[in-house]
Amino acid sequence: MASASADPLAIIGASGALGFGLALRLAQAGVPIVIGSRDESRARETAERALERVPGGRFSGLDNEGAAAEAETVLLSVPFRSQSETLHNLHGVLRPGQLLIDATVPLAAAVGGKATRMLGVWQGSAAQQAAEMVPEGVRVVSALHTVSATSLADLAHPLEQDVLLCGDKRADKTEAAALIERIEGLRCVDCGRLEMARTTEALTALLIGVNARYKVHAGITLSGLPEKLWE
């Protein structure tokens, strides 16, 4: 296990595939994980399940509000149909200065459509909707839309791929990158302002189609970039 971090990360939606995979990988890297769920008992069960996969990892389970109150960084990994309600319920808990990493994708599957199609979001993207809903002073970065949940949960599987970050402040993206890059094999790339999330989110639908066609769990790697991407 990598060197431990004293700062916990709250993962809202860690009982889902992507959130659970991220919890495993980050705990393996030494990050204390607070698992959030609408049902606290389900959060505790997920924490126990994660501990079985990563013995020695630090996991706890709370309801969403309790989890968000425990950490300075919150990772939101919920289906698009739950994003608005979840953020509404967290509004009284989220506080200025917190970093919210949003991994939500507005797939048409949220309303019974195909997972290879996107829904139109009035604000432009799920991340922009999140930024509109959180209290003033909460920093929002969009990330992790192209990383396979299946690959994350397979701890023996090498990742070797890029994570596309969008956010309005370089410092916020740098902070998010420092956390995400604790996962071996992930490299973060600055893709511009938060409004660019409408493009990075849509890549999820594209990859779902590619992966179904080739029966793989492909990710994305950008070529030709400089060796040092973050100061």
Side-chain angles (χ1 to χ4, degrees):
M1 183 177 290
S3 60
S5 166
D7 298 324
L9 168 69
I11 302 182
I12 307 300
S15 55
L18 178 64
F20 187 69
L22 289 167
L24 296 180
R25 292 278 185 163
L26 285 165
Q28 191 178 52
V31 179
I33 303 297
V34 186
I35 289 172
S37 174
R38 287 178 294 182
D39 182 344
E40 185 171 344
S41 63
R42 186 179 184 190
R44 291 197 298 268
E45 290 170 3
T46 302
E48 292 170 4
R49 184 160 54 95
L51 187 59
E52 292 175 359
R53 295 287 311 279
V54 185
R58 289 178 288 172
F59 300 98
S60 58
L62 297 169
D63 63 18
N64 286 336
E65 291 84 352
E70 286 285 308
E72 291 302 314
T73 301
V74 177
L75 198 158
L76 185 64
S77 176
V78 297
F80 180 68
R81 63 179 178 273
S82 302
Q83 186 201 39
S84 179
E85 179 185 1
T86 300
L87 289 175
H88 174 78
N89 292 337
L90 291 178
H91 195 274
V93 178
L94 295 173
R95 55 193 181 272
Q98 277 183 308
L99 178 67
L100 178 73
I101 302 174
D102 183 73
T104 311
V105 181
L107 296 173
V111 293
K114 293 184 177 181
T116 51
R117 293 179 182 171
M118 299 290 290
L119 294 174
V121 182
W122 182 259
Q123 293 86 348
S125 65
Q128 287 170 290
Q129 176 171 276
E132 187 176 276
M133 293 193 66
V134 297
E136 185 175 357
V138 175
R139 302 168 294 142
V140 176
V141 170
S142 171
L144 296 161
H145 303 105
T146 61
V147 182
S148 163
T150 301
S151 296
L152 283 168
D154 180 359
L155 298 179
H157 180 85
L159 295 173
E160 301 303 328
Q161 56 188 275
D162 291 337
V163 175
L164 310 180
L165 301 188
C166 302
D168 288 337
K169 293 187 177 179
R170 173 78 173 181
D172 299 343
K173 288 178 283 189
T174 301
E175 187 176 331
L179 172 67
I180 294 168
E181 288 185 347
R182 289 184 67 107
I183 299 176
E184 185 177 357
L186 294 186
R187 179 183 69 165
C188 291
V189 178
D190 186 346
C191 292
R193 296 182 64 83
L194 197 64
E195 65 183 11
M196 295 303 296
R198 68 189 69 189
T199 299
T200 57
E201 289 173 8
L203 291 175
T204 300
L206 182 144
L207 282 176
I208 288 172
V210 169
N211 289 336
R213 190 169 298 111
Y214 290 101
K215 306 296 188 290
V216 295
H217 301 290
I220 284 178
T221 303
L222 302 180
S223 63
L225 292 173
E227 182 177 347
K228 190 171 184 180
L229 298 181
W230 303 92
E231 295 298 332

